[in-house]
Amino acid sequence: QVQLVESGGGLVQPGGSLRLACAASGITFSIYDMGWYRQAPGNQRELVARISSRSSADYADSVKGRFTISRDNAKDTVYLQMNSLKPEDTAVYYCNAEFKAPYSGRYNTYWGQGTQVTVSS
């Protein structure tokens, strides 16, 4: 059974920091590309950051310089360090795992349940 379990969300003041964690089970974690997405009320889900199986990272322009994605393959966990948080960062943050199977080209994609991040004074 594949599970992605997010943790670390909560209420924080503008300018504050949070670290999200996503613990994976049921997958060969080291070969999966991992990502963080977020969805605010009334908005579509958007990519925040992603890190490949080779630890190559990409970020949305809105979070560059403030957020850092990392992974610990020994713990089957991906992290999102969020600094200098802004009210517009308020959203439900979702963990994503994706693997493109060789030869077939089929994608295996999994999602966590999400964790709420609220940035407010």
Side-chain angles (χ1 to χ4, degrees):
Q1 183 182 12
V2 177
Q3 288 193 81
L4 302 176
V5 181
E6 301 99 334
S7 62
L11 175 64
V12 65
Q13 294 185 356
S17 297
L18 285 173
R19 188 179 74 158
L20 306 183
C22 171
S25 60
I27 62 171
T28 305
F29 181 82
S30 62
I31 68 171
Y32 273 74
D33 297 331
M34 303 297 299
W36 288 98
Y37 291 72
R38 68 187 181 189
Q39 187 168 21
N43 292 354
Q44 296 186 7
R45 188 173 299 186
E46 64 174 348
L47 175 68
V48 177
R50 58 189 173 193
I51 184 166
S52 73
S53 61
R54 306 173 309 281
S55 294
S56 177
D58 293 305
Y59 300 90
D61 288 342
S62 60
V63 307
K64 285 181 180 177
R66 300 189 297 120
F67 291 10
T68 302
I69 189 170
S70 62
R71 65 191 296 158
D72 187 341
N73 289 346
K75 297 181 178 180
D76 290 356
T77 301
V78 62
Y79 303 92
L80 185 67
Q81 178 66 47
M82 305 185 294
N83 299 326
S84 302
L85 283 161
K86 304 174 180 179
E88 51 262 45
D89 295 319
T90 297
V92 177
Y93 284 70
Y94 297 91
C95 180
N96 168 266
E98 186 171 271
F99 173 70
K100 184 179 181 179
Y103 306 110
S104 70
R106 297 176 63 181
Y107 282 90
N108 296 132
T109 302
Y110 303 99
W111 293 93
Q113 295 281 329
T115 185
Q116 177 72 49
V117 171
T118 302
V119 184
S120 177
S121 58

